[in-house]
């Protein structure tokens, strides 16, 4: 089978398409015939050698990519929740061999039946970013109906799901984004949208229950502003696990009795994947695709995604749908 493999860490030139043996599923695994894989910021981080959190777990050679959608080709002897031919999506083997490949073997617990209304490309846009959003605002942020949440980077691949999930739960949602994306974020359901290029959120907001740093901006001075808009006892969650809180941020959180959390690891995979499927099938959540690339265009996909000027999820189309 074809797969995108890195044999060394570095720039996009280390992304090589090679012929490798098709994996064999273990007893608790399924073999998925991959149709599409999402392209995520963490793919670049791993390609370049990881950060302090990931580096100890990375072993070369490595197939990257951790959003997959496809069809079950084989099931392990202990798998009872899937059968051959099921259309599935999930987050396979992070941070081990991933989904930039024609087939992948992964634990059945990392997959769910894909939403019926979605194409494979659309389904591959959901798992990793959806899980980051749900873990952050619900599992860590404890967001409840009626609470006020401020989502920074609301138009991004994580932020746009966070906006929609928070609305489904009945929260009051405030998002920040660039001028060009204001209408997009409003269409996602945000109750208020702040243009970070022309407005200062710290002058507009107060008594926020949860702030979610879904933006790729890494600036502890901006975090101080976020803490200032939280109510006492509020919660600040960051998806930027590679950028720690500095002493000033820690002091500000302690003074205001604010809890700060990093999303270091994804949890509750199957529970949330099944929830996403339900919400999408009910029409409560929609998927926004960015550009779609072939497996052979993987370097171009990485280069474009690294510009940061992205709305929606970039997709590697591993094979065409029939």
């Amino acid at each position: 089978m074809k797969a995108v493999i890195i044999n060394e860490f570095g720039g996009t030139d280390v992304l090589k398409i090679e012929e490798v043996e098709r994996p064999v599923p273990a007893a608790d695994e399924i073999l998925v015939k991959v149709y599409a894989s999402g392209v995520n910021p963490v793919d670049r981080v791993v390609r370049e050698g990881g950060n302090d959190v990931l580096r100890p777990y990375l072993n070369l050679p490595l197939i990257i990519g951790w959003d997959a959608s496809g069809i079950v080709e084989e099931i392990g002897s202990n798998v009872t929740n899937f059968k051959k031919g099921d259309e599935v999506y999930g987050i396979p083997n992070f941070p081990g061999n991933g989904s930039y490949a024609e087939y992948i073997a992964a634990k059945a617990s990392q997959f769910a039946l894909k939403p019926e209304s979605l194409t494979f490309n659309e389904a591959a846009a959901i798992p990793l970013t959806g899980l980051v959003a749900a873990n952050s605002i619900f599992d860590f942020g404890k967001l409840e109906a009626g609470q006020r949440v401020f989502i920074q980077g609301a138009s991004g691949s994580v932020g746009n799901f966070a906006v929609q999930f928070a609305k489904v739960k009945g929260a009051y949602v405030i998002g920040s984004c660039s001028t060009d994306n204001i209408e997009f974020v409003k269409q996602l359901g945000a109750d208020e949208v702040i243009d970070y290029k022309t407005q200062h959120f710290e002058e507009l907001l107060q008594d926020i229950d949860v702030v979610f740093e879904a933006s790729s901006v890494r600036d502890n001075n901006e975090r101080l502003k976020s803490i200032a808009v939280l109510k006492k006892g509020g919660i600040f969650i960051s998806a930027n696990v590679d950028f720690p809180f500095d002493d000033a941020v820690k002091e500000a959180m302690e003074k205001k009795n604010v809890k700060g959390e990093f999303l270091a690891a994804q949890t509750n995979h199957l529970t949330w994947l099944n929830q996403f499927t339900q919400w999408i099938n009910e029409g409560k959540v929609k998927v926004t695709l960015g550009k779609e690339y072939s497996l052979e265009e993987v370097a171009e996909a990485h280069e474009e995604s690294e510009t940061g000027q992205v709305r929606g999820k970039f997709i590697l189309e591993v094979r065409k749908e029939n």
Side-chain angles (χ1 to χ4, degrees):
M1 71 169 190
K2 285 183 182 179
V4 177
I5 293 182
I6 57 171
N7 295 290
E8 59 183 318
F9 298 118
T12 56
D13 58 310
V14 305
L15 298 165
K16 306 295 184 183
I17 296 181
E18 297 182 11
E19 286 285 340
V20 297
E21 285 195 21
R22 195 170 88 172
V24 176
D28 61 348
E29 292 183 332
I30 55 176
L31 179 71
V32 177
K33 183 179 182 179
V34 179
Y35 276 75
S37 173
V39 178
N40 293 290
V42 74
D43 301 356
R44 173 190 59 80
V45 173
V46 170
R47 188 199 74 218
E48 292 177 345
N51 51 37
D52 291 342
V53 175
L54 289 173
R55 199 169 294 117
Y57 301 98
L58 302 180
N59 298 302
L60 296 174
L62 180 65
I63 300 172
I64 61 176
W66 294 282
D67 271 324
S69 66
I71 297 175
V72 176
E73 186 79 2
E74 296 177 27
I75 62 171
S77 57
N78 293 340
V79 175
T80 59
N81 56 327
F82 293 115
K83 64 183 184 301
K84 183 176 179 178
D86 281 344
E87 297 183 351
V88 296
Y89 73 138
I91 308 168
N93 305 329
F94 184 77
N97 280 331
S99 53
Y100 288 13
E102 292 183 316
Y103 292 88
I104 186 165
K107 291 187 182 300
S109 60
Q110 296 171 324
F111 280 82
L113 293 174
K114 85 170 183 62
E116 297 172 1
S117 61
L118 299 187
T119 65
F120 286 113
N121 284 10
E122 289 169 332
I126 302 166
L128 188 61
T129 47
L131 195 62
V132 169
N135 281 166
S136 295
I137 63 175
F138 299 130
D139 295 329
F140 285 86
K142 311 300 182 187
L143 185 67
E144 298 177 357
Q147 288 190 317
R148 288 155 48 87
V149 58
F150 177 42
I151 298 168
Q152 299 170 307
S155 65
S157 57
V158 172
N160 91 79
F161 280 128
V163 169
Q164 295 182 81
F165 297 167
K167 285 304 297 179
V168 171
K169 286 285 190 176
Y172 186 90
V173 180
I174 306 160
S176 68
C177 62
S178 65
T179 312
D180 293 342
N181 287 316
I182 289 175
E183 287 306 314
F184 171 64
V185 175
K186 286 181 179 177
Q187 290 168 10
L188 293 173
D191 297 285
E192 295 181 38
V193 184
I194 293 173
D195 182 345
Y196 70 76
K197 290 188 174 182
T198 62
Q199 296 176 291
H200 301 285
F201 72 86
E202 69 275 15
E203 297 174 0
L204 302 171
L205 304 178
Q206 59 183 355
D207 293 329
I208 301 296
D209 294 286
V210 177
V211 173
F212 176 32
E213 185 182 68
S215 163
S216 60
V217 174
R218 288 156 169 80
D219 185 339
N220 275 310
N221 288 326
E222 288 298 305
R223 286 173 171 171
L224 288 172
K225 297 175 187 177
S226 298
I227 291 162
V229 305
L230 280 165
K231 63 169 51 174
K232 287 188 180 297
I235 301 177
F236 176 83
I237 312 105
S238 174
N240 298 321
V241 66
D242 60 318
F243 189 71
F245 301 138
D246 65 10
D247 289 342
V249 170
K250 292 176 183 176
E251 183 178 338
M253 288 193 294
E254 185 175 354
K255 186 175 181 180
K256 201 167 185 179
N257 191 29
V258 165
K259 189 175 183 181
E261 297 273 12
F262 283 107
L263 185 68
Q266 287 77 47
T267 60
N268 301 326
H269 288 62
L270 190 55
T271 298
W272 281 118
L273 286 170
N274 284 325
Q275 181 65 80
F276 302 157
T277 295
Q278 181 183 333
W279 284 341
I280 290 165
N281 285 340
E282 292 173 350
K284 295 177 179 177
V285 170
K286 60 185 179 181
V287 176
T288 302
L289 287 185
K291 293 188 178 181
E292 297 163 88
Y293 299 85
S294 68
L295 207 58
E296 289 73 20
E297 295 171 321
V298 60
E300 183 182 342
H302 273 230
E303 288 164 3
E304 181 115 9
S305 68
E306 288 166 24
T307 66
Q309 305 302 312
V310 177
R311 179 196 293 182
K313 189 73 164 283
F314 283 8
I315 297 295
L316 285 185
E317 187 177 71
V318 177
R319 49 170 54 89
K320 295 281 187 182
E321 292 194 42
N322 297 329

